[in-house]
Amino acid sequence: MNGVSSHRGGRIPVNLLTGFLGSGKTTLLRELLADPELKQTAVLINEFGEVGLDHHLLERIDENVVLLNSGCICCTVRGELVDALIDLDTRRARGVIPDFDRVVIETTGLADPFPALSTLRAHPVLANHFSVDKVVVTIDAVNGEAQLGDRLEAVRQLAAADVVAITKTDLCSREAVAALRRKLTAINPSAVTVLRQDAEAAHLLGGSSFSPDLADASTDADPLGGHGHHHDKGDGGHHHHHHASGGSTVTSFSLTVEGRLDWTAFGIWLTMLLNRHGDRIFRVKGILNVGGEDRPVAIHGVQRLVHPPVHMKAWPDADRRSKLVFIVEGLDQAVIERSLRVFNDLSDRLLSQTGENPSRQARQLAL
Amino acid sequence: MCALCGVLGADDHWTSAVSRPGVYTRNEDRVSRRREAAKRLKIANAVLQTRRLDLREWQGGTYILSNATGGTRVFQSLAHMWPEAEAMVSSGFDPLDAGFLQKIEEIAS
């Protein structure tokens, strides 16, 4: 990753910066914008309130800073988000405002990131002009743990994160920060956790490992994050954590699947699962060993939104098993795993009837 | 857009994404697209027929879902398949339901 990338295939990367109320989103944004690498960044700030203040705190008022202050981005102002982004892009193209090569959207402290991500992906104009880059979430070292315990909004934000920036670390002990860090990794093992003061713009915002545009460049990028998901446990490679939040149970676990997955059956299974249970599946990420392919396929979903699958250039290590990380609320890991196997086997049975399945044919040949 | 029928755009659902660099898709050429579409229909229909629904594809971009009493729904994106199917049946399609999984296991076994 060479600095903060720009204009991927003509599309401008968009970062979502979110985090619970008072967790330091605006402070982080102000510091990031001081970085020369982010000189050409447009900013959209969403505040829930009659009078917006955050844009003043940024200390950078120009035409590329837009305030959306008539409601929350995840419900009432999604239309405004579309209009603001299209307007920015149009004015940039006409040369009315300075060129920009990245957009950062700062959400309200209570926003669920999913609707904004969904809007960016689903809107026919936005999808062709903007690409979704990393979701950055700030977590307050002092109050973060309590917020994650009490507020499902905070858990949803954390689950959607690609990068978690821990803020206010100077206000508590090193041990408390380490404990919080372990907790964050337990809830969202696929995110990279950094201390805010160590965060550099390039690593914080740019180069999502799930970006198709980077599939060729980042052969060693591990979309499951740097927190060791390849646990070889005696129970068949499962690893899970539980976390109680607001009376509900948020669980993260990883599934390891031996053998190859049938892409078509997997697609039918995951779309059906997300259709029925998407509001309780905060995150799904995975590297798949797909039948008929030498290279792995990375998938990445937030609630019901699944990004275009990335065909990675190479496997990150020697392990060729498919791995899926789920962050769910109140769903049973064993049932999800069984369901996946049932659908994968269905494909095998159906297609072997007509001799369409090359992996089955290969097995029969081997016998 | 199809100049004859005026169908706009193409479905860019993740299971059948528009081909572009770095994205995994089987939408790369006419033959692989048709082969994958046929395979998808076969598996989807096996699942849908547990609730007596039938899925057909029209012109490679439109899907027609029918039930045994002649009810029909038409949609353009694979993203709509399960919401539409669930709207046509009372019992729904829950891949975590033990009874439903049992039915899937019985298909072609």
Side-chain angles (χ1 to χ4, degrees), chain A residues 16 74 78 111-119 160 302-306:
Chain A
L16 216 59
C74 75
R78 286 169 69 187
D112 179 352
F114 165 68
L117 292 173
S118 183
T119 302
V302 176
Q303 297 178 46
R304 288 191 174 86
L305 173 76
V306 181

Side-chain angles (χ1 to χ4, degrees), chain A residues 262 264 277 309 311 339 349, chain B residues 22 24 36 39 94-95 105 107:
Chain A
D262 181 88
T264 319
H277 298 286
H311 207 181
S339 179
R349 291 198 305 278
Chain B
Y24 180 70
E36 181 65 10
K39 188 178 167 191
D94 181 359
E105 281 182 314
I107 298 171

Side-chain angles (χ1 to χ4, degrees), chain A residues 12 84-94 100 129-130:
Chain A
I12 298 168
L85 281 172
I86 292 176
D87 186 51
L88 270 177
D89 196 42
T90 308
R91 287 193 291 150
R92 177 186 68 83
R94 286 165 47 204
F100 57 86
H129 287 80
F130 297 94

Side-chain angles (χ1 to χ4, degrees), chain A residues 43-62:
Chain A
V43 181
L44 256 67
I45 300 172
N46 178 217
E47 271 194 88
F48 189 80
E50 291 285 314
V51 182
L53 282 177
D54 278 2
H55 64 304
H56 294 305
L57 302 176
L58 271 188
E59 295 169 353
R60 183 189 125 170
I61 299 296
D62 59 36

Side-chain angles (χ1 to χ4, degrees), chain A residues 17-38:
Chain A
L17 172 61
T18 187
F20 205 69
L21 297 164
S23 62
K25 296 181 291 299
T26 309
T27 311
L28 176 63
L29 184 59
R30 190 178 65 215
E31 289 177 8
L32 287 176
L33 291 178
D35 189 317
E37 284 204 70
L38 292 177

